[in-house]
């Protein structure tokens, strides 16, 4: 007799799975199994069980990846294990400072005017940018400079810094106030006192003003100058012109040397110092036409310098200069030159005496 039985081979045993060791990587690096490890599995029935994984993420600094590995055999039996992958951030951001800045006094030092730092982070998270200011020594403007330290901090507290220099420059001259306008006065009028001129500067505030006055005949030139601490200079000038006035005689100029408006005088083709010219005025003419004429010509020129009108003289001044260029002083020219010199002297004498 024969009999038969059915033998059913069942697989109720899950594969045996082995997780890779826990791993730590820097943010930006790969977290793929090729970089962090691959789980392995063996099964008593299935020579090639299927291995897969799923990730769950928590935290930020550091970020924790819990990787659950699963092994599945051909009949659906499964087993799992967990691997922990720590993604850390120990790298500071990359920070770039704005360029150094030069400001005019009074300009704003706010970043909107001087520039703002920028930063990037290898982990891609937000970066906080702040700054602190340290004052440096003042320069010619009187304003201290600024060393601005910029700081970039990522979400994990890693920080990087850079510095920016902010300095003040002064290329603007001071501003003058109270500068007087030019004036014309009669030669007999008193000369007005100098005006009070003040100066202000955009860096140092009030600036001292210096005053200078020069006299050239019937012209007075007054100059006020202000210079700030950085050497920027500004000036204003007033010209006072004397006109009109009465003529004075040859005797007046001979006896009043302190009234002379000049220290030298050119007569004919010769320039004389004041002392020499006064000596000539004090020399008796003794009938010499050159002395008779030069006495009146010196006096007429002094009268013109102090502002007396010479409109009535015509060419007498030029003709007298030409005569004295042609005839040396003390040469006692004979007629007709003598008569010409005396005739010119008479015209100038009438002028000097107000006739």
């Amino acid at each position: 007799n024969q009999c038969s039985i059915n033998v059913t081979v069942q697989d109720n045993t899950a594969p045996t799975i082995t997780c890779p060791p826990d791993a730590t990587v820097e943010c930006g690096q790969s977290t793929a199994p090729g970089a962090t490890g691959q789980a392995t599995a063996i099964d008593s029935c299935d020579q090639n069980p299927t291995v897969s994984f799923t990730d769950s993420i928590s935290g930020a600094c550091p970020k924790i990846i819990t990787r659950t590995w699963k092994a599945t055999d051909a009949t659906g039996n499964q087993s799992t294990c967990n691997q922990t992958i720590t993604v850390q951030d120990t790298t500071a951001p990359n920070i770039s400072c704005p360029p150094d800045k030069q400001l005019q006094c009074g300009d704003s030092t706010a970043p909107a005017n001087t520039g703002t730092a920028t930063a990037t982070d290898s982990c891609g998270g937000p970066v906080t940018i702040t700054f602190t200011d340290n004052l440096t020594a003042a320069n010619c403007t009187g304003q201290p400079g600024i060393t601005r330290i910029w700081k970039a901090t990522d979400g994990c507290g890693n920080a990087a810094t850079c510095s920016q220099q902010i300095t003040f420059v002064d290329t603007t001259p001071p501003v003058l106030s109270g500068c007087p306008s030019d004036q014309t006065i009669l030669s007999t009028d008193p000369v007005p006192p100098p005006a009070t001129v003040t100066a202000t500067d955009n860096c140092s505030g009030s600036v001292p003003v210096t005053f200078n006055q020069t006299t050239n005949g019937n012209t007075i030139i007054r100059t006020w100058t202000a210079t700030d601490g950085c050497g920027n200079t500004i000036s204003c000038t007033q010209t006072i012109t004397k006109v009109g006035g009465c003529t004075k005689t040859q005797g007046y100029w001979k006896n009043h040397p302190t009234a002379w408006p000049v220290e030298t005088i050119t007569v004919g083709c010769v320039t004389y110092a004041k002392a020499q010219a006064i000596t000539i005025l004090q020399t008796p003419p003794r009938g010499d036409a050159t002395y008779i004429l030069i006495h009146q010509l010196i006096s007429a020129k002094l009268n013109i310098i102090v502002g007396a009108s010479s409109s009535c003289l015509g060419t007498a001044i030029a003709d007298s200069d030409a005569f004295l260029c042609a005839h040396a002083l003390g040469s006692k020219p004979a007629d007709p030159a003598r008569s010409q010199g005396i005739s010119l002297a008479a015209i100038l004498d009438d002028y000097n005496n107000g006739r």
Side-chain angles (χ1 to χ4, degrees):
N1 292 326
Q2 292 181 339
C3 67
S4 64
I5 62 172
N6 292 322
V7 179
T8 300
V9 179
Q10 295 180 336
D11 183 5
N12 295 318
T13 303
T16 300
I17 187 169
T18 302
C19 267
D22 293 342
T24 299
V25 298
E26 191 73 17
C27 65
Q29 293 179 348
S30 174
T31 59
T36 57
Q38 176 75 41
T40 60
I42 57 175
D43 187 76
S44 57
C45 295
D46 186 352
Q47 292 185 355
N48 296 297
T50 300
V51 177
S52 61
F53 69 89
T54 57
D55 287 343
S56 64
I57 299 174
S58 62
C61 286
K63 178 170 72 174
I64 303 298
I65 300 174
T66 300
R67 180 162 290 171
T68 300
W69 291 93
K70 181 170 68 174
T72 306
D73 65 17
T75 57
N77 299 303
Q78 295 180 342
S79 60
T80 62
C81 66
N82 289 330
Q83 175 194 21
T84 299
I85 300 172
T86 301
V87 181
Q88 65 181 7
D89 180 7
T90 61
T91 303
N94 292 315
I95 186 171
S96 297
C97 262
D100 293 343
K101 187 76 172 181
Q102 287 188 334
L103 302 175
Q104 292 286 335
C105 294
D107 288 350
S108 172
T109 60
N113 187 49
T114 59
T116 301
T118 58
T120 57
D121 189 61
S122 58
C123 294
V127 178
T128 301
I129 296 177
T130 58
F131 70 87
T132 56
D133 286 345
N134 299 317
L135 298 182
T136 60
N139 57 12
C140 66
T141 65
Q143 308 294 314
I146 297 173
T147 298
R148 179 162 290 171
I149 307 299
W150 289 94
K151 183 178 181 181
T153 306
D154 64 21
C156 293
N158 302 300
T161 61
C162 64
S163 65
Q164 175 195 21
Q165 299 296 324
I166 300 172
T167 54
F168 287 93
V169 296
D170 184 8
T171 58
T172 304
V175 176
L176 292 174
S177 299
C179 289
S181 57
D182 293 344
Q183 276 186 276
T184 299
I185 62 173
L186 293 174
S187 60
T188 54
D189 291 341
V191 177
T196 299
V197 176
T198 60
T200 57
D201 186 64
N202 63 327
C203 289
S204 54
S206 178
V207 178
V209 177
T210 60
F211 172 74
N212 182 62
Q213 176 173 302
T214 60
T215 301
N216 182 13
N218 61 347
T219 301
I220 299 171
I221 299 175
R222 291 172 169 174
T223 303
W224 293 264
T225 302
T227 303
D228 64 23
C230 292
N232 301 298
T233 297
I234 188 170
S235 297
C236 67
T237 300
Q238 179 194 33
T239 299
I240 300 175
T241 304
K242 296 179 180 181
V243 296
C246 299
T247 57
K248 295 178 175 60
T249 65
Q250 180 264 341
Y252 174 85
W253 293 114
K254 178 175 68 175
N255 297 314
H256 295 84
T258 58
W260 282 47
V262 291
E263 293 299 317
T264 61
I265 188 167
T266 300
V267 185
C269 295
V270 181
T271 298
Y272 299 99
K274 181 170 77 172
Q276 293 174 306
I278 290 173
T279 298
I280 291 173
L281 290 179
Q282 293 172 344
T283 302
R286 297 189 180 90
D288 188 334
T290 59
Y291 271 102
I292 294 171
L293 178 59
I294 199 170
H295 287 176
Q296 299 302 330
L297 183 57
I298 290 173
S299 302
K301 287 193 172 187
L302 292 174
N303 284 324
I304 293 169
I305 290 172
V306 297
S309 174
S310 60
S311 59
C312 63
L313 287 175
T315 63
I317 296 292
D319 292 343
S320 297
D321 277 326
F323 182 91
L324 291 172
C325 283
H327 302 282
L329 186 63
S331 61
K332 294 185 177 182
D335 285 330
R338 178 179 181 278
S339 296
Q340 179 192 9
I342 293 175
S343 176
L344 288 170
I347 296 172
L348 299 181
D349 180 58
D350 284 343
Y351 172 73
N352 293 330
N353 281 277
R355 294 190 290 268

